[in-house]
């Protein structure tokens, strides 16, 4: 939300009410600015003004940032007719203003970052910024050193002319590897493993840049990012 803004827009945004209902409240004298009742819907307010509706103080929470441990079966969308979304797991106001910074497939688990700060999330999602996303990948076939080297150099995805950017790939055991990529192509990790004649059985995102999934978060749980974690994205 940008300031200054109209009082009816502010109240509508914070209370998640239609603008028409807010205007009725204002006409009834239910809205005050800095302790003074206003009956004009187009009055401009600043971030510093104190607004009350029916005696209740409204607070603009500003930019917010969360990490979520995404379970399987949830989609990274604000709404979906067929599946639950990651936003169903958040108990926060004004979720309509939020978006996922780097989506995961419905069957992929792990770190999801959610924010209402578009500039911040662009730092994560833009390929030009080269923010690495790290995944723990369990595979159907044994991980060979030859396959790891191919992933490190870049592989040809089906129906794409250019190779993927060089990845960081390290074997964890015979049937698992840790893979870091700085792109966000459609089903990229699954397609990269297919390109080296393997198949992803399970996929879990552990890190975005240097923000690591909090191990204390169970599947479906979330928490606000720390100031340090927020700054990590802006600093690189």
């Amino acid at each position: 939300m940008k300031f200054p803004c109209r009082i009816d827009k502010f109240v509508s945004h914070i209370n998640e009410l239609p603008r028409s209902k807010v205007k009725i409240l204002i006409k009834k004298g239910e809205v005050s600015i800095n302790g003074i009742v206003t009956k004009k819907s187009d009055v401009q307010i600043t971030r510093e003004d104190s607004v009350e509706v029916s005696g209740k103080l409204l607070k603009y929470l500003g930019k917010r940032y969360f990490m979520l441990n995404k379970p399987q079966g949830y989609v990274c969308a604000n709404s979906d007719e067929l599946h639950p979304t990651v936003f169903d797991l958040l108990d926060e106001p004004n979720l309509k203003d939020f978006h996922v910074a780097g989506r995961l497939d419905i069957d992929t688990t792990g770190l999801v970052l959610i924010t209402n700060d578009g500039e911040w999330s662009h730092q994560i999602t833009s390929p030009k910024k080269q923010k690495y996303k790290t995944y723990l990948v369990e595979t159907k076939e044994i991980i060979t050193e030859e396959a790891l080297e191919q992933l490190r150099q870049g592989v040809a995805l089906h129906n794409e002319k250019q190779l993927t950017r060089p990845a960081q790939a390290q074997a964890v055991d015979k049937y698992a590897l840790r893979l870091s990529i700085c792109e966000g192509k459609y089903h990229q990790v699954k397609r990269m493993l297919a390109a080296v004649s393997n198949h992803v059985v399970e996929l879990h995102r552990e890190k975005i840049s240097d923000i690591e999934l909090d191990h204390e978060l169970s599947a479906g749980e979330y928490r606000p990012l720390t100031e340090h974690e927020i700054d990590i994205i802006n600093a690189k």
Side-chain angles (χ1 to χ4, degrees):
M1 177 173 289
K2 294 183 179 180
F3 290 90
C5 74
R6 288 171 54 118
I7 184 64
D8 58 346
K9 180 180 179 180
F10 177 81
V11 175
S12 174
H13 178 85
I14 301 300
N15 277 2
E16 297 184 330
L17 291 172
R19 194 84 70 91
S20 59
K21 289 188 177 181
V22 173
K23 289 181 178 180
I24 293 173
L25 289 173
I26 292 172
K27 287 182 179 180
K28 288 182 176 180
E30 295 289 330
V31 178
S32 64
I33 304 171
N34 301 324
I36 301 173
V37 172
T38 182
K39 292 191 176 182
K40 294 183 178 181
S41 298
D42 60 351
V43 172
Q44 298 284 319
I45 63 168
T46 67
R47 192 184 299 272
E48 289 72 31
D49 286 324
S50 175
V51 177
E52 292 186 8
V53 176
S54 303
K56 181 181 178 181
L57 180 66
L58 301 189
K59 186 177 181 181
Y60 177 62
L61 298 174
K63 295 177 181 178
R64 290 178 285 164
Y65 313 82
F66 301 98
M67 74 159 59
L68 168 75
N69 186 357
K70 178 189 171 299
Q72 285 189 349
Y74 285 77
V75 295
C76 289
N78 290 73
S79 62
D80 190 277
E81 294 182 356
L82 300 177
H83 306 285
T85 81
V86 292
F87 291 93
D88 295 328
L89 300 169
L90 271 62
D91 183 17
E92 300 291 332
N94 304 114
L95 285 177
K96 64 181 183 297
D97 298 329
F98 284 78
H99 58 273
V100 174
R103 299 185 176 196
L104 291 179
D105 298 335
I106 189 170
D107 57 346
T108 302
T109 63
L111 177 62
V112 168
L113 300 179
I114 299 174
T115 183
N116 59 352
D117 186 344
E119 293 183 4
W120 187 83
S121 64
H122 178 71
Q123 298 290 321
I124 295 171
T125 57
S126 173
K128 294 181 180 179
K129 304 298 180 180
Q130 294 195 17
K131 295 291 193 300
Y132 277 89
K133 291 86 175 174
T134 302
Y135 299 84
L136 180 62
V137 189
E138 294 186 22
T139 61
K140 183 178 181 180
E141 309 295 338
I142 292 175
I143 303 296
T144 66
E145 185 57 40
E146 180 184 0
L148 291 173
E149 190 56 35
Q150 285 181 277
L151 294 170
R152 292 168 186 149
Q153 293 180 6
V155 295
L157 302 182
H158 182 61
N159 288 334
E160 293 203 20
K161 295 180 180 180
Q162 290 187 330
L163 299 181
T164 59
R165 291 186 180 182
Q168 300 168 7
Q170 180 182 10
V172 174
D173 61 34
K174 286 185 178 181
Y175 294 93
L177 73 152
R178 186 162 280 111
L179 182 69
S180 296
I181 60 174
C182 61
E183 299 169 287
K185 298 178 183 292
Y186 180 70
H187 291 323
Q188 181 169 345
V189 174
K190 296 173 183 177
R191 294 166 69 198
M192 289 177 72
L193 268 294
V196 294
S197 302
N198 212 321
H199 177 77
V200 173
V201 176
E202 289 192 15
L203 187 59
H204 179 81
R205 186 158 65 192
E206 299 177 319
K207 291 175 63 177
I208 294 177
S209 186
D210 287 331
I211 300 177
E212 188 170 0
L213 178 62
D214 191 329
H215 297 297
E216 294 186 2
L217 292 178
S218 299
E221 293 184 337
Y222 73 99
R223 68 161 172 81
L225 293 187
T226 65
E227 288 296 327
H228 172 68
E229 289 167 336
I230 296 168
D231 291 342
I232 283 173
I233 300 302
N234 291 326
K236 292 189 174 184

